[in-house]
């Protein structure tokens, strides 16, 4: 595993009202590492994902990217989000723009890439996720699985240093899940840094370098997939796996 740290979270605390979503989280992610975060609903997984690119602000602690604290706002924050890609549960494509336009918009507007080059890269990325033939269509004409693959291509178009996946398959029909997970497995093999919040235990077993188990806003344990799934250390993780593994 590479040992060059790209993300460091120190003492992260986040409240929603009186609910403590993150409870003093410490975490580092190395370049090229695939980290999968699992746990019950409401355990803080998505909040952990979203604080890394400041979609949620912390009430305590800090996040560093490449050793620098997250920018507060403005152009520095926009630039940071260009380096930290995000794939959401609900795709978040622009409905009034074609698939190709969705993928080229960020590189042209945020990174100043020439439109012709952005188009070439976008078509290559769309081919890579298996939807090149959909380039001139609008999102509504695509299946959920196709839209999510476009969302992954859009994140990749910014050439990010890390991509965050916030439950990317949970809004999909079951038959569409595998096509998205296949793309994500290929990405994991390519060496890109990934933090993946998911309920897909099979993906965690196959693609992760490290599995993090969260409960009640805390990291309860973390280990390699082999160790975690074969011999979890905490009773809470054992209880969780006993409920989810028979169905995964």
């Amino acid at each position: 595993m590479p040992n060059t740290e790209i993300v460091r979270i120190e003492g992260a605390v986040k409240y929603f009202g009186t609910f403590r979503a993150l409870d003093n989280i410490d975490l580092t992610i190395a370049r090229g590492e695939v980290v999968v975060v699992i746990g019950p609903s409401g355990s803080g997984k998505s909040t952990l994902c979203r604080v890394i690119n400041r979609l949620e602000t912390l009430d305590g602690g800090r996040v560093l990217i490449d050793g620098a604290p997250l920018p507060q706002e403005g152009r520095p924050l926009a630039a940071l989000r260009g380096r930290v890609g995000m794939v959401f549960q609900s795709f978040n494509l622009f409905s009034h723009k074609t698939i190709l336009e969705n993928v080229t918009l960020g590189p042209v507007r945020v990174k100043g890439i020439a439109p012709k080059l952005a188009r070439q890269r976008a078509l290559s990325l769309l081919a890579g996720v298996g939807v090149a033939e959909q380039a001139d269509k609008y999102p509504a004409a695509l299946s959920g699985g196709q839209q999510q693959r476009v969302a992954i291509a859009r994140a990749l178009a910014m050439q990010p240093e890390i991509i965050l996946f916030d439950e990317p398959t949970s809004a999909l029909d079951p038959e569409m899940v595998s096509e998205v997970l296949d793309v994500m497995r290929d990405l994991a093999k390519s060496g890109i840094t990934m933090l993946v919040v998911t309920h897909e235990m099979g993906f965690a077993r196959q693609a992760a370098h490290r599995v993090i188990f969260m409960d009640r806003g805390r990291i309860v344990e973390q280990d390699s997939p082999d160790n975690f799934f074969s011999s979890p250390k905490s009773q809470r993780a054992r209880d969780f796996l006993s409920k989810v593994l028979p169905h995964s």
Side-chain angles (χ1 to χ4, degrees):
M1 261 332 297
N3 59 10
T4 309
E5 183 180 287
I6 183 168
V7 175
R8 173 175 287 271
I9 301 174
E10 299 176 341
V13 175
K14 174 65 180 177
Y15 284 94
F16 294 106
T18 59
F19 177 71
R20 193 166 177 138
L22 296 180
D23 188 359
N24 199 33
I25 294 285
D26 293 314
L27 176 67
T28 59
I29 301 172
R31 287 189 188 281
E33 191 176 18
V34 178
V35 177
V36 174
V37 185
I38 64 173
S41 296
S43 60
K45 306 184 301 296
S46 289
T47 304
L48 176 68
C49 189
R50 291 169 65 87
V51 298
I52 293 174
N53 68 352
R54 214 171 180 274
L55 286 173
E56 300 287 355
T57 56
L58 288 175
D59 296 306
R62 63 178 186 163
V63 176
L64 298 97
I65 306 292
D66 276 341
L70 287 186
Q72 294 300 301
E73 58 188 15
R75 287 187 177 179
L77 182 58
L80 179 278
R81 288 180 176 153
R83 297 166 56 206
V84 180
M86 183 102 185
V87 177
F88 299 87
Q89 177 178 334
S90 54
F91 322 141
N92 284 20
L93 300 176
F94 293 112
S95 61
H96 62 291
K97 294 188 178 295
T98 67
I99 295 310
L100 185 60
E101 289 168 341
N102 266 277
V103 178
T104 58
L105 186 65
V108 172
R109 287 199 180 175
V110 178
K111 302 195 95 171
I113 292 173
K116 184 177 180 180
L117 178 57
R119 176 185 171 86
Q120 290 172 347
R121 286 183 181 172
L123 289 171
S124 176
L125 288 167
L126 290 170
V129 298
V131 289
E133 72 282 1
Q134 313 293 342
D136 295 324
K137 296 181 181 177
Y138 289 87
L142 276 62
S143 70
Q146 289 172 323
Q147 289 188 58
Q148 193 60 295
R149 285 185 278 157
V150 171
I152 293 171
R154 180 181 59 181
L156 288 169
M158 296 293 287
Q159 299 178 297
E161 296 176 50
I162 180 173
I163 300 186
L164 314 173
F165 293 83
D166 186 9
E167 302 198 14
T169 60
S170 61
L172 299 176
D173 292 334
E175 64 269 23
M176 297 176 186
V177 169
S178 63
E179 64 188 56
V180 173
L181 291 178
D182 285 346
V183 170
M184 292 172 61
R185 287 188 192 97
D186 288 343
L187 275 184
K189 291 175 187 174
S190 76
I192 193 165
T193 312
M194 298 166 62
L195 177 74
V196 183
V197 174
T198 186
H199 294 288
E200 300 291 339
M201 298 299 128
F203 177 84
R205 281 181 184 271
Q206 296 160 12
H209 295 117
R210 181 164 39 128
V211 174
I212 290 175
F213 175 71
M214 291 187 68
D215 187 41
R216 299 183 180 182
R218 294 185 175 184
I219 294 176
V220 177
E221 64 178 283
Q222 51 186 312
D223 211 330
S224 68
D226 286 349
N227 289 342
F228 178 76
F229 286 106
S230 64
S231 52
K233 297 178 181 67
S234 65
Q235 185 60 49
R236 184 66 189 92
R238 288 193 287 272
D239 292 344
F240 175 79
L241 290 176
S242 72
K243 293 173 183 174
V244 300
L245 286 182
H247 306 290
S248 63

